[in-house]
């Protein structure tokens, strides 16, 4: 017991120091090899395999300009082109294509593309649910943030799950002038509110499962609020919710510690596991401008990597979805490549996955 405790403390200290320096921490994460060296009968814990599914939807976004369709639906293809899936050694779980995008209001549901999104969320949940029943980790390549509705619906069908919501925005607070936006609300900007039961039944109560997530089971990581946000939206509703927040300043001070705190909170909840949602706009606009709503006070790639590492390392983490990166805003693919390398590095650093990445990817530290 004493030796294991000392080893755990040394690994934690190493991880915190490495995170502050932008160095990979995966080498210290697994302890099974050390145990095996001292005990020939000990067996190394099996590494978790990744299964990847594409969810190329842009149904939750507004048109970036008249007659222009949002490009977030190209995220999966663009990140695949970087070699991410191959380097992760992921098993293919298929692709769930979304219905055609429409810029027109949907007054029946109140959200742009609301009727189509409700159908798509059910279809995505149908595909995800059996994957969650396997001894694998699910990686969803979106899409916009509204893919969370399909993911959380699939989780709710299986029981009670938590959520690590990595995003610069709360995605919960409705506009103060509700009449003005009726029919053209965007689900990508309210996905967390919808997943926790706030909104039209067509989106919040699919199959009678509302809410898909309990607010008390959610940790929001990376909130970067401005006075203008509270002028536009009723952010006090989010502040009064049961969602626990670790804001951008907390993460900037020590991203690894923030991730570890979120992991501890999610592990302590009486759930069957937790899901990780990563919106690329949690990154600072100086390093990730290729999103629909660039963040002027966000994280570096290194901070995102350090934040995700402890979250991925938990055996209660069952999947991760990556959203909002828009390849149309990244003509030479440089930002997508850095995003892919950062995600890959976090998987490698966690020490939980048998992947091909064996060193810190170039460019992921900054």
């Amino acid at each position: 017991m004493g030796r294991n405790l000392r080893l755990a403390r040394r690994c934690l200290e190493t991880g915190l120091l490495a995170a502050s320096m932008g160095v990979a921490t995966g080498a210290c994460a697994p302890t099974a090899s050390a145990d095996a060296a001292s005990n020939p009968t000990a067996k190394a814990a099996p590494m978790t395999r990744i299964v990847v599914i594409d969810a190329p939807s842009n149904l939750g976004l507004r048109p970036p300009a008249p007659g222009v369709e949002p490009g977030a639906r190209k995220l999966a293809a663009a990140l695949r082109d970087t070699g991410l899936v191959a380097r992760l050694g992921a098993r293919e779980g298929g692709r769930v294509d979304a219905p055609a995008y429409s810029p027109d209001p949907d007054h029946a549901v109140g959200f742009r593309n609301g009727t189509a999104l409700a159908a798509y969320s059910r279809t995505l949940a149908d595909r995800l649910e059996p994957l969650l029943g396997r001894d694998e980790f699910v990686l969803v390549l979106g899409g916009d943030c509204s893919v969370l509705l399909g993911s959380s619906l699939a989780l709710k069908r299986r029981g009670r799950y938590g959520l690590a919501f990595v995003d610069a925005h709360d995605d919960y607070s409705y506009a103060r002038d509700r009449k003005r936006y009726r029919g053209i609300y965007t689900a990508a900007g309210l996905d967390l509110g919808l997943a926790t039961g706030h909104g039209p039944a067509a989106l919040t109560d699919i199959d009678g499962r509302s809410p898909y997530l309990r607010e008390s089971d959610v940790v929001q990581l990376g909130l970067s609020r401005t006075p203008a946000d509270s002028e536009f939206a009723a952010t006090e509703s989010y502040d009064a919710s049961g969602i626990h927040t670790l804001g951008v300043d907390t993460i900037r001070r020590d991203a690894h510690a923030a991730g570890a705190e979120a992991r501890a909170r999610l592990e302590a909840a009486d759930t069957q596991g937790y899901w990780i949602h990563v919106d690329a706009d949690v990154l600072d606009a100086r390093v990730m401008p290729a999103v629909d709503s660039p963040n002027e006070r966000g994280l570096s790639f290194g901070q995102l990597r350090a934040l995700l590492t402890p979250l991925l390392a938990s055996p209660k983490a069952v999947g991760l979805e990556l959203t909002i990166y828009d390849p149309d805003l990244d003509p030479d693919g440089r930002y997508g490549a850095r995003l892919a390398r950062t995600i890959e590095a976090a998987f490698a650093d966690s020490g939980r996955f048998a992947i091909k990445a064996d060193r810190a990817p170039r460019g992921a530290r900054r």
Side-chain angles (χ1 to χ4, degrees), residues 186-312:
T186 54
L190 287 164
D191 51 293
L192 185 55
L194 294 168
T196 52
H198 304 282
L203 298 177
T204 64
D205 196 27
I206 299 171
D207 298 339
R209 299 281 185 173
S210 182
Y212 313 136
L213 300 164
R214 300 186 188 188
E215 292 179 355
S216 59
D217 293 335
V218 177
V219 179
Q220 205 287 352
L221 297 128
L223 184 61
S224 181
R225 186 181 288 172
T226 68
D229 294 329
S230 296
E231 292 173 6
F232 171 78
T235 55
E236 64 274 11
S237 63
Y238 171 84
D239 295 339
S241 74
I243 297 169
H244 184 72
T245 304
L246 294 171
V248 63
D249 293 328
T250 297
I251 298 171
R252 280 176 159 184
R253 283 193 295 270
D254 194 329
H256 189 279
E261 179 182 340
R263 170 184 170 175
R265 188 177 186 91
L266 291 162
E267 286 182 332
D270 186 20
T271 61
Q272 294 168 248
Y274 65 83
W275 187 259
I276 306 169
H277 169 93
V278 180
D279 182 335
D281 73 16
V282 78
L283 292 160
D284 194 280
R286 290 170 294 182
V287 300
M288 176 49 75
V291 294
D292 72 310
S293 183
N295 179 11
E296 299 301 329
R297 197 168 63 91
L299 305 181
S300 68
F301 281 104
Q303 288 164 340
L304 177 60
R305 172 181 174 175
L307 178 70
L308 291 177
T309 295
L311 290 168
L312 288 167

Side-chain angles (χ1 to χ4, degrees), residues 342-364:
T342 299
I343 298 299
E344 174 194 345
F347 273 105
D349 290 351
S350 75
R352 183 182 166 202
F353 303 91
I355 64 178
K356 297 180 181 180
D358 58 359
R359 65 182 179 85
R362 181 179 300 173

Side-chain angles (χ1 to χ4, degrees), residues 62-304:
R62 66 184 184 278
V68 178
E69 186 174 340
R73 63 185 174 83
K74 302 175 185 177
L75 179 155
L79 293 191
R80 282 178 174 275
D81 286 346
T82 71
L84 173 64
V85 174
R87 290 192 301 272
L88 292 176
R91 181 177 74 83
E92 292 290 351
R95 174 185 173 100
V96 183
D97 286 305
Y101 177 86
S102 172
D104 299 331
D106 182 338
H107 293 293
V109 175
F111 280 68
R112 186 180 274 116
N113 292 293
T115 302
L117 179 58
Y120 180 68
S121 298
R122 181 180 286 111
T123 302
L124 180 57
D126 290 344
R127 186 69 65 85
L128 286 173
E129 187 181 0
L131 297 180
L132 291 165
R134 299 171 180 264
D135 190 21
E136 294 178 304
F137 184 94
V138 182
L139 173 62
V140 176
L141 300 178
D144 68 69
C145 289
S146 67
V147 300
L148 176 64
L149 299 185
S151 303
S152 58
L153 174 60
L155 293 166
K156 181 61 180 286
R157 287 174 179 176
R158 297 189 56 79
R160 179 181 168 188
Y161 284 81
L163 175 69
F165 190 77
V166 183
D167 196 309
H169 309 99
D170 69 41
D171 285 11
Y172 179 102
S173 305
Y174 280 78
R176 295 189 183 279
D177 186 356
R178 291 207 175 201
K179 289 184 179 179
R180 179 179 180 184
Y181 292 94
R182 188 171 298 156
I184 57 170
Y185 272 114
T186 54
L190 287 164
D191 51 293
L192 185 55
L194 294 168
T196 52
H198 304 282
L203 298 177
T204 64
D205 196 27
I206 299 171
D207 298 339
R209 299 281 185 173
S210 182
Y212 313 136
L213 300 164
R214 300 186 188 188
E215 292 179 355
S216 59
D217 293 335
V218 177
V219 179
Q220 205 287 352
L221 297 128
L223 184 61
S224 181
R225 186 181 288 172
T226 68
D229 294 329
S230 296
E231 292 173 6
F232 171 78
T235 55
E236 64 274 11
S237 63
Y238 171 84
D239 295 339
S241 74
I243 297 169
H244 184 72
T245 304
L246 294 171
V248 63
D249 293 328
T250 297
I251 298 171
R252 280 176 159 184
R253 283 193 295 270
D254 194 329
H256 189 279
E261 179 182 340
R263 170 184 170 175
R265 188 177 186 91
L266 291 162
E267 286 182 332
D270 186 20
T271 61
Q272 294 168 248
Y274 65 83
W275 187 259
I276 306 169
H277 169 93
V278 180
D279 182 335
D281 73 16
V282 78
L283 292 160
D284 194 280
R286 290 170 294 182
V287 300
M288 176 49 75
V291 294
D292 72 310
S293 183
N295 179 11
E296 299 301 329
R297 197 168 63 91
L299 305 181
S300 68
F301 281 104
Q303 288 164 340
L304 177 60

